[in-house]
């Protein structure tokens, strides 16, 4: 439920914005005047204790809500094995399993392969390389 303890932005968010202006380059734009303290499900609580509905969902990457139990459990299971190896340096089975699932879900009767990227820039760069190699 939306709950406001201060005006938006509150005093802690205002202070952090001043620190941000001094320490962070202007490149990463800032669309809201608040700073997150925590989040659960569709709710985000700022550093001033205001609870707001998160309409952005981390620009779409948090489409299951913040901190869903099943996702936290899966992360905890994985992190006990290893955090990150970079598939192109040291491969791991889950990468292949996910690609197999994606390939199966893709419609059409042709050979399918998947490539997982960590950003739109990386995906576009590799799409261009693949298109060049194919043509």
């Amino acid at each position: 439920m939306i709950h406001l303890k201060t005006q938006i932005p509150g005093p802690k968010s205002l202070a952090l914005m001043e620190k941000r202006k001094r320490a962070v380059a202007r490149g990463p734009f800032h669309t809201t005047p608040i700073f997150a303290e925590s989040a659960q499900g569709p709710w985000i609580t700022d550093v001033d204790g205001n609870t707001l509905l998160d309409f952005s969902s981390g620009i779409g990457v948090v489409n299951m809500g913040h901190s869903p139990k099943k996702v936290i459990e899966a992360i905890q299971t994985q992190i006990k094995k290893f955090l990150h190896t970079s598939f192109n340096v040291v491969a791991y089975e889950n990468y292949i399993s996910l690609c197999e699932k994606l390939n199966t879900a893709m419609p059409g009767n042709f050979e399918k392969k998947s490539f997982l990227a960590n950003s739109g820039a990386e995906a576009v760069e590799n799409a261009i390389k693949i298109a060049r190699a194919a043509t």
Side-chain angles (χ1 to χ4, degrees):
M1 175 180 291
I2 295 173
H3 177 73
L4 300 180
K5 289 186 173 183
T6 68
Q7 290 184 327
I8 303 293
K12 291 180 181 178
S13 286
L14 288 169
L16 283 170
M17 185 60 80
E18 288 306 312
K19 287 178 79 169
R20 177 200 191 285
K21 288 176 184 175
R22 291 190 302 274
V24 179
R26 291 189 305 167
F29 63 91
H30 198 99
T31 60
T32 61
I34 64 169
F35 286 80
E37 175 69 28
S38 63
Q40 184 66 44
W43 305 104
I44 198 160
T45 302
D46 74 4
V47 293
D48 293 291
N50 300 302
T51 301
L52 307 158
L53 185 56
D54 181 8
F55 284 109
S56 72
S57 299
I59 311 298
V61 298
V62 189
N63 58 9
M64 295 189 63
H66 295 280
S67 305
K69 185 178 179 183
K70 286 179 75 173
V71 173
I72 290 172
E73 289 170 354
I75 290 169
Q76 289 171 333
T77 298
Q78 180 58 47
I79 204 166
K80 289 176 184 174
K81 296 176 182 179
F82 57 89
L83 181 59
H84 177 64
T85 66
S86 191
F87 186 77
N88 58 322
V89 178
V90 178
Y92 49 95
E93 185 176 2
N94 287 346
Y95 186 106
I96 298 166
S97 298
L98 179 55
C99 287
E100 288 173 333
K101 287 180 182 178
L102 291 170
N103 297 341
T104 300
M106 174 63 81
N109 188 17
F110 55 90
E111 182 183 9
K112 299 164 192 130
K113 293 184 179 183
S114 293
F115 169 77
L116 308 177
N118 67 18
S119 69
E122 184 181 2
V124 169
E125 175 187 350
N126 281 279
I128 291 168
K129 290 177 184 176
I130 292 165
R132 284 181 177 162
T135 58

